[in-house]
Amino acid sequence: MFFRILKKDIRRKKTMNIILLLFVVLSAMFASSSVNNIITVVGGTDYYFEQAGMADYYFITNEGKIGDTLSEKLNKEPAVTGYRRENTLYISSDYITRDGKNAFKASTNSLCLMMSVDDAKINYFDKNNDVVRTVDEGTFYLSGSFAESSGIEVGDKLDLKLGDVTVTLEYAGRIKDALLGSDFMGNSRIMMNAKDYARFADDPSTSGYRGGLFYVDTDDAKAVEQAVTDDLTITFDGAHSVIKMTYILEVITAGMLLVVSIALILISFVILRFTIGFTITEEFREIGVMKAIGIKNRHIRALYLVKYLGIAVIGAVIGYFVSIPFGELLLRSASKAMYLGNDSTVLIGALSCIAVVGIIMLFCWGCTRRIKKLSPIDAVRNGQTGERFRKHSFLKLSRSKLPATGFLAVNDVVSAPKQYSIMTLVFTLCLLLVMIFANIANTLASDKILFLLSVHNSDLYYSSKDEMDVWGGVKTVDELCESIEKDLSDLGMPANVHLEGQYKVPVEFGDVRQNVTALWCGETKCSDYVYELGTAPQNELEFAATSLICEKYGFDIGDKAKITVNGETKEYLLTGIFQSMNQLGQVIRLHEDAPLAEVVPGTTYPAQIDFDDDPDAKTIENRKEILRKHWDSDKVQNVTEFVKDSTNSADAIAAVKNLVLIISVMIIVMIVVLMERSFIAKEKAEIALMKALGNKDKFIIRQHAFRFVIVAVVSGVLSAVLCLPLTKLVADPIFAMMGASDGLGYELNIPEIFALYPVIILAAVIAGAFFTALYTRTVKASDAANIE
């Protein structure tokens, strides 16, 4: 008998059961893929570093005319148990061309490191995760996403020029580079055959572009840091944990998708609860009859549980198999940069799906408690007691100025607040997820985070080919700026040009002596920058630091530190605290009078151009295009392009946002179809009566559709109100990991956030409600006399 009842129920409620099945499939798919991805990416970083043979501490040096001085210091330091060095040559991406034009798209981080495959001291992997041990002569591999984002494909031939040497090489593919492979590192590694590398390295004209990568094994990273604080060749140093942090974008993306999957599961439970409650309410007669003939409560509950167990198991199995390709799709970008390994993928996926089934069944068991309250007499009374102790609605037709359709729709909503509140909550949650991702993506591509890059607003930013000559000590910062200024003046665009430099300086914070990256520019004033606390440095012997530096070394405004600048050690007063995403927030800023004019910077930002005549935005854009043609470079950018290029993560977040938008629309349409079909079944008598009174189909369809429009509009308003607070709640911890420890203002694209996405959701709701409400045509006026 149980199976006959179950079979009848499944046939009678095909639409509702199919939609429930889809929700379970989506929940299982997201749960399995997201949990697997989190474990793969978070644990995968350690796995990747282990397979690559990484070390405990890392240095990148720019030796130029100074030569290798770091090796001698490491050899003397007792805390160093061993180290490996890779010889490199620095080349600007501006000197890598294809068919006479720059091969790479505009990029503010244009420095590449060339090396021989024979000199590799860690393991590098190809796309199949095989170790790259040889590179054919005349070819090269490239790390990072530069090639892919610039449209360079395997087999393309590029011209590499360094000094007086030009070599044509064929692109062989992307390598997975544990140290420089993250987009946050910004630099790319070019790996080539030893003979091709020798053509560059053996030429005297390339001697100013030499450097090294050091992989240091140690049990005392702080001792190693302090031992090399006076080495002027170091342009970057970082512990194992710092390099891991550069892969934070992959971890964040996987984490966000896990949040989406949790939200989806919660939505599924809400819909499941409504469906079970509706089914029990609708089947009062069957339940009353079963109780009348002696069937116990637990057996009746088991009947419903068998149905939902079948749906849950089928949905979980389908969801598990769909999660495999879906998870690979989500990990595509991460797997291109990392050697990911997860030996428990099958087990974790299966356990996630089993957990979804288990939670659904526990939820169903709780929802079927209402069966205990029903009695055989309910079957006689049509499920009603005849008593009602509250008004059906506070609205009165006689006082309403709404048209009949609008009044009935509004009255339905306010008369069943619980049902419609659930829908409002689900729609709001779906819309908020899209809005939050959009806000993060828009912020990462806006000038609102310019201050986090430790530069001020300029008209244009130009990544010149000659910047590498500055880093190599061939040219000074002033010489480069003067040459750009002369070029602009000759074009009738007089301007002031300056470069923000980054310098490694030894700093003594009490008893701790460390190499710290100092930000400095002699052509700007410290007061031009943003400070969270205190004031800007007023003279040469004052400095500002990030809040992360202050927390790390226990410093505060008013404390003094000994800083060695250009070989001279003095006491500097800490006057201000600021935020910066440079070096993940581990930087200080020195006053413009600090004696760094003759010191070679480790690296610089692009040249900042400020026109003398204060042009408007349209004129700046016109000049940008003129300069791009004049310099034959697309690396002339406005402030928005510069910020987006520097963060290099807005597009990845935007892709996640688009995925969430598609899924949200699917969820909302399924909910609308499910709820409307439920309402039609529940309100069959009322629909028939309305038709008997002469109301046409279009009147009833409009009434049913308008109810969902009200819910969608309320959801849009709630989402607009909660959008910014929830964005801060979600995104502030993410930006804090990047260095913005005190939060920031988010870019709200008003047309996109408050118009486009609500309209998309509203359109989905209207479409789903309207086409489902057409089913009311199947109800006839004569059915009013046939309702049992």
Side-chain angles (χ1 to χ4, degrees):
M1 180 184 73
F2 274 18
F3 287 103
R4 285 201 304 272
I5 296 173
L6 184 62
K7 185 177 180 181
K8 179 183 177 182
D9 179 83
I10 292 174
R11 284 181 177 177
R12 185 164 57 93
K13 299 179 179 177
K14 288 181 182 179
T15 303
M16 294 177 66
N17 292 330
I18 289 173
I19 292 175
L20 275 177
L21 178 64
L22 290 175
F23 270 110
V24 176
V25 169
L26 287 173
S27 299
M29 179 184 76
F30 266 88
S32 177
S33 60
S34 298
V35 172
N36 257 319
N37 289 359
I38 281 287
I39 294 173
T40 300
V41 174
V42 176
T45 309
D46 290 325
Y47 179 85
Y48 178 32
F49 282 16
E50 181 182 346
Q51 296 299 314
M54 294 284 275
D56 302 307
Y57 208 87
Y58 310 92
F59 294 99
I60 300 178
T61 61
N62 183 1
E63 294 156 8
K65 297 178 181 179
I66 301 175
D68 177 16
T69 58
L70 182 60
S71 295
E72 183 178 350
K73 292 181 174 64
L74 294 176
N75 287 329
K76 294 179 180 179
E77 174 53 43
V80 176
T81 57
Y83 72 90
R84 293 156 282 164
R85 171 192 164 96
E86 293 174 339
N87 295 311
T88 64
L89 288 171
Y90 293 96
I91 180 173
S92 171
S93 62
D94 292 294
Y95 289 99
I96 303 176
T97 58
R98 176 173 52 176
D99 299 326
K101 297 182 178 180
N102 195 287
F104 296 110
K105 71 167 188 176
S107 174
T108 57
N109 301 307
S110 57
L111 189 66
C112 300
L113 285 72
M114 295 194 300
M115 65 169 288
S116 165
V117 65
D118 293 352
D119 198 30
K121 296 302 187 294
I122 62 172
N123 291 328
Y124 302 92
F125 306 94
D126 61 17
K127 63 179 181 180
N128 298 317
N129 291 331
D130 295 323
V131 178
V132 177
R133 302 195 183 279
T134 60
V135 179
D136 294 336
E137 190 173 355
T139 66
F140 74 99
Y141 284 93
L142 190 68
S143 69
S145 60
F146 286 95
E148 181 181 355
S149 60
S150 301
I152 299 173
E153 299 179 353
V154 174
D156 288 350
K157 292 186 177 181
L158 308 182
D159 297 318
L160 285 69
K161 183 180 184 300
L162 185 64
D164 299 331
V165 182
T166 301
V167 177
T168 300
L169 299 176
E170 182 179 303
Y171 178 56
R174 178 175 179 173
I175 56 168
K176 299 177 183 180
D177 177 356
L179 181 61
L180 300 178
S182 166
D183 288 336
F184 267 119
M185 287 299 287
N187 304 119
S188 187
R189 188 192 305 263
I190 298 173
M191 181 180 286
M192 59 184 68
N193 182 273
K195 292 182 179 179
D196 292 323
Y197 181 77
R199 295 169 66 182
F200 290 106
D202 293 346
D203 194 281
S205 64
T206 66
S207 60
Y209 308 106
R210 300 182 189 279
L213 294 175
F214 290 80
Y215 305 88
V216 181
D217 300 315
T218 180
D219 295 326
D220 191 349
K222 290 185 178 180
V224 174
E225 282 184 89
Q226 295 191 48
V228 300
T229 52
D230 295 320
D231 196 291
L232 299 178
T233 65
I234 297 173
T235 59
F236 171 83
D237 65 297
H240 193 78
S241 58
V242 174
I243 305 303
K244 282 182 63 177
M245 186 63 70
T246 63
Y247 290 91
I248 189 65
L249 179 61
E250 285 77 12
V251 177
I252 289 172
T253 302
M256 286 179 172
L257 289 169
L258 181 61
V259 171
V260 172
S261 68
I262 293 173
L264 182 61
I265 293 171
L266 293 176
I267 290 171
S268 299
F269 290 161
V270 170
I271 298 304
L272 187 64
R273 182 186 182 284
F274 170 80
T275 305
I276 294 173
F278 171 77
T279 302
I280 292 172
T281 301
E282 186 186 30
E283 297 179 353
F284 63 88
R285 182 175 289 104
E286 288 87 342
I287 295 171
V289 170
M290 284 190 284
K291 286 194 173 186
I293 62 178
I295 300 176
K296 295 182 179 180
N297 281 324
R298 65 174 182 272
H299 292 145
I300 299 174
R301 294 175 76 179
L303 173 65
Y304 287 94
L305 291 179
V306 167
K307 168 187 171 181
Y308 293 114
L309 176 63
I311 291 175
V313 170
I314 294 171
V317 171
I318 297 173
Y320 169 73
F321 286 106
V322 176
S323 73
I324 297 174
F326 183 69
E328 291 177 355
L329 175 66
L330 298 180
L331 279 179
R332 181 176 296 174
S333 61
S335 62
K336 288 180 180 179
M338 302 168 65
Y339 178 8
L340 297 174
N342 183 356
D343 298 329
S344 306
T345 303
V346 176
L347 177 61
I348 293 170
L351 289 177
S352 299
C353 293
I354 291 172
V356 169
V357 173
I359 294 172
I360 288 175
M361 296 315 299
L362 288 174
F363 194 74
C364 290
W365 179 255
C367 291
T368 55
R369 284 181 299 181
R370 289 186 58 190
I371 291 175
K372 295 180 181 180
K373 299 180 180 180
L374 296 176
S375 63
I377 199 66
D378 289 315
V380 178
R381 293 179 174 176
N382 289 331
Q384 301 293 329
T385 63
E387 297 176 335
R388 189 174 75 203
F389 298 100
R390 64 179 178 84
K391 292 182 179 180
H392 190 61
S393 170
F394 63 86
L395 297 177
K396 293 185 179 297
L397 181 60
S398 60
R399 298 178 183 176
S400 175
K401 295 182 180 180
L402 293 172
T405 303
F407 175 83
L408 290 174
V410 173
N411 187 65
D412 288 343
V413 172
V414 298
S415 299
K418 194 172 183 180
Q419 289 181 351
Y420 289 97
S421 294
I422 291 173
M423 282 195 291
T424 302
L425 176 64
V426 172
F427 291 1
T428 302
L429 182 59
C430 290
L431 192 51
L432 277 172
L433 285 172
V434 179
M435 287 180 170
I436 289 170
F437 281 112
N439 287 338
I440 296 174
N442 292 336
T443 302
L444 288 170
S446 77
D447 58 2
K448 283 202 171 183
I449 62 171
L450 181 67
F451 75 99
L452 291 175
L453 302 177
S454 301
V455 297
H456 66 71
N457 199 333
S458 290
D459 294 329
L460 293 175
Y461 300 80
Y462 172 42
S463 184
S464 168
K465 296 179 180 180
D466 297 329
E467 284 174 20
M468 195 177 66
D469 291 338
V470 174
W471 304 335
V474 178
K475 283 185 178 181
T476 66
V477 171
D478 288 343
E479 288 173 345
L480 177 58
C481 291
E482 288 171 3
S483 67
I484 296 175
E485 287 177 353
K486 184 179 183 306
D487 215 3
L488 290 169
S489 180
D490 293 342
L491 291 170
M493 307 176 190
N496 175 264
V497 178
H498 67 273
L499 267 73
E500 295 277 355
Q502 298 185 23
Y503 302 79
K504 281 291 183 180
V505 296
V507 182
E508 294 181 39
F509 297 97
D511 297 331
V512 180
R513 181 178 170 87
Q514 300 289 343
N515 250 347
V516 178
T517 298
L519 307 172
W520 181 81
C521 179
E523 298 298 320
T524 59
K525 294 181 178 180
C526 282
S527 56
D528 293 339
Y529 302 89
V530 178
Y531 299 88
E532 301 300 317
L533 295 171
T535 60
Q538 301 295 316
N539 58 63
E540 176 190 340
L541 295 179
E542 293 181 353
F543 77 106
T546 61
S547 54
L548 294 180
I549 285 283
C550 293
E551 291 173 10
K552 182 177 181 179
Y553 299 107
F555 260 55
D556 203 349
I557 293 173
D559 292 340
K560 291 184 177 181
K562 291 182 179 180
I563 304 177
T564 303
V565 179
N566 200 15
E568 188 175 359
T569 302
K570 295 180 180 180
E571 277 196 338
Y572 286 70
L573 177 69
L574 178 63
T575 64
I577 296 175
F578 65 99
Q579 297 185 82
S580 176
M581 291 172 65
N582 283 326
Q583 305 292 318
L584 295 176
Q586 304 289 329
V587 293
I588 63 174
R589 177 169 290 282
L590 296 178
H591 189 265
E592 59 267 21
D593 291 338
L596 285 165
E598 302 302 323
V599 178
V600 177
T603 185
T604 62
Y605 268 116
Q608 294 183 232
I609 301 172
D610 295 295
F611 295 110
D612 294 344
D613 56 349
D614 194 22
D616 57 23
K618 184 177 180 180
T619 304
I620 292 173
E621 286 301 302
N622 290 336
R623 291 180 180 180
K624 182 186 76 174
E625 297 304 322
I626 292 171
L627 292 175
R628 282 186 172 185
K629 292 179 181 178
H630 175 72
W631 285 322
D632 192 22
S633 172
D634 61 353
K635 297 183 180 180
V636 184
Q637 301 172 305
N638 59 35
V639 62
T640 304
E641 293 166 341
F642 166 72
V643 170
K644 184 177 180 181
D645 225 24
S646 298
T647 57
N648 202 26
S649 53
D651 290 340
I653 302 297
V656 176
K657 173 204 67 179
N658 293 334
L659 174 64
V660 173
L661 177 61
I662 293 171
I663 294 172
S664 296
V665 170
M666 291 171 54
I667 291 172
I668 287 172
V669 169
M670 287 192 296
I671 290 173
V672 169
V673 172
L674 174 66
M675 300 295 277
E676 176 59 12
R677 285 299 301 268
S678 301
F679 290 153
I680 292 173
K682 182 180 178 180
E683 300 168 6
K684 188 174 182 180
E686 288 91 334
I687 296 170
L689 181 60
M690 291 177 70
K691 289 190 175 185
L693 294 173
N695 292 297
K696 296 182 179 180
D697 285 332
K698 63 181 181 180
F699 177 86
I700 298 171
I701 291 170
R702 283 202 304 267
Q703 175 205 346
H704 279 240
F706 193 61
R707 295 186 295 193
F708 291 94
V709 172
I710 294 171
V711 172
V713 171
V714 173
S715 300
V717 174
L718 288 176
S719 300
V721 173
L722 297 173
C723 172
L724 186 57
L726 288 181
T727 298
K728 286 181 173 291
L729 181 66
V730 172
D732 277 356
I734 297 173
F735 283 105
M737 288 187 286
M738 300 178 184
S741 55
D742 297 323
L744 68 156
Y746 291 90
E747 175 70 16
L748 294 181
N749 187 327
I750 303 300
E752 178 186 9
I753 300 300
F754 300 126
L756 177 62
Y757 298 132
V759 167
I760 290 175
I761 298 301
L762 181 61
V765 168
I766 292 173
F770 175 78
F771 287 109
T772 309
L774 293 176
Y775 189 72
T776 57
R777 292 177 175 176
T778 62
V779 180
K780 300 177 182 178
S782 58
D783 291 334
N786 297 327
I787 304 298
E788 298 180 356

